[in-house]
Amino acid sequence: MTPRVMAYRVRHEDVPDTSEAFERAALLPDGPEKHRTRGEIVCAWLPMADRLAGRFRHRGEALEDLRQVAAIGLVKAVERYDPHRGTAFESFAVPTITGELKRHFRDRLWSVHVPRRVQELRSRVRDARDELAQRHGVLAPTVEELALHSGMTEDDVVTGVEAMDCFSVLSLDAGLASPEEGPTLGDAIGGWDEALDTVIDRESVKPRLRRLPDREKKILYLRFFRGMTQSSIAEDLGISQMHVSRLINDSCARIRRDVMRDAA
């Protein structure tokens, strides 16, 4: 005779009977009394929400913050639940609260935003690690072991492992050689090159400079690239300083006018 296996579901102590309250709230019109009744239901189910939040306590987020997120999920579940559909509130609330917690991790706790697919790979790698550690005692599984256990490719496992570090980032004050002394990570980050601001201007001016007469190009070169004074340029070219000044002003005005016309 084949023994009968009795299927059962563990019933937690934090699962209250609020069926009458839900029936009463469903019949009430929107207003203070309905809001108060729903508030009573939320308070009755808060221990269960706290328990669900506790499942995520080892993922780098404060438990109190997780409890607040779970409470938000509980409020949404109470507002959306329809007792006349025949589904127990617990069956409706658990996925709603868990989904709220998962969405919190997915949308708000990533220091570096990554695509949804990479987030899913990270979750699968984490689950595979936990299962290998709990069921097989493998505390530091290799990429190959993770891939074999999860059914993922090794490339996907590597991507998921790399995404593990996206919840937190190093401080710019972190030491490169040691935590207490030496250069920091911030010291290794380059600063803004102010010369970049002149790149567009230089590229805009180049073709106009090429079209200037040779004497004017030489004057501008001596003045702005060699740093010579107008008097020295005038002496070098055998012309007056006033003439040099006029040629510089005319050349610069012409170049500026051409650049502004083309930009418009």
Side-chain angles (χ1 to χ4, degrees), residues 147-195:
L148 183 63
H149 182 79
S150 64
M152 302 164 60
T153 66
E154 293 189 8
D155 287 342
D156 284 346
V157 169
V158 171
T159 300
V161 170
E162 292 175 344
M164 293 281 188
D165 297 328
C166 291
F167 274 125
S168 59
V169 294
L170 283 176
S171 168
L172 293 179
D173 294 327
L176 293 176
S178 65
E180 299 179 355
E181 58 184 12
T184 65
L185 184 61
D187 296 330
I189 299 177
W192 176 256
D193 186 353
E194 296 182 357

Side-chain angles (χ1 to χ4, degrees), residues 9-19 22 41 45 47-49 51-52 55 73-74 77-78 81-83 86-98:
R9 180 172 62 86
V10 176
R11 184 172 181 83
H12 297 278
E13 296 180 355
D14 54 19
V15 179
D17 183 6
T18 54
S19 55
F22 271 117
I41 297 173
W45 284 91
M48 184 199 72
R51 171 169 56 84
L52 296 176
R55 296 179 180 178
L74 174 60
V78 170
Y81 177 64
D82 184 356
T87 303
F89 177 69
E90 182 184 8
S91 300
F92 178 80
V94 169
T96 302
I97 296 171
T98 303

Side-chain angles (χ1 to χ4, degrees), residues 111-130:
S111 297
V112 179
H113 186 71
V114 297
R116 178 70 58 82
R117 175 179 174 275
V118 177
Q119 296 181 26
E120 294 173 352
L121 292 177
R122 175 194 175 278
S123 297
R124 292 178 63 183
V125 169
R126 186 196 62 237
D127 293 342
R129 278 184 171 179
D130 293 344

Side-chain angles (χ1 to χ4, degrees), residues 5 32 34 41 47-48 54 68 71-72 89 104 111 113-114 121 126 137 143 146 152 177 193 201 220 244 252 260:
V5 178
K34 185 169 189 173
I41 297 173
M48 184 199 72
Q68 292 181 14
I72 293 173
F89 177 69
H104 175 74
S111 297
H113 186 71
V114 297
L121 292 177
R126 186 196 62 237
V143 170
L146 287 169
M152 302 164 60
D193 186 353
D201 293 337
L220 293 181
V244 170
C252 290
M260 296 301 294

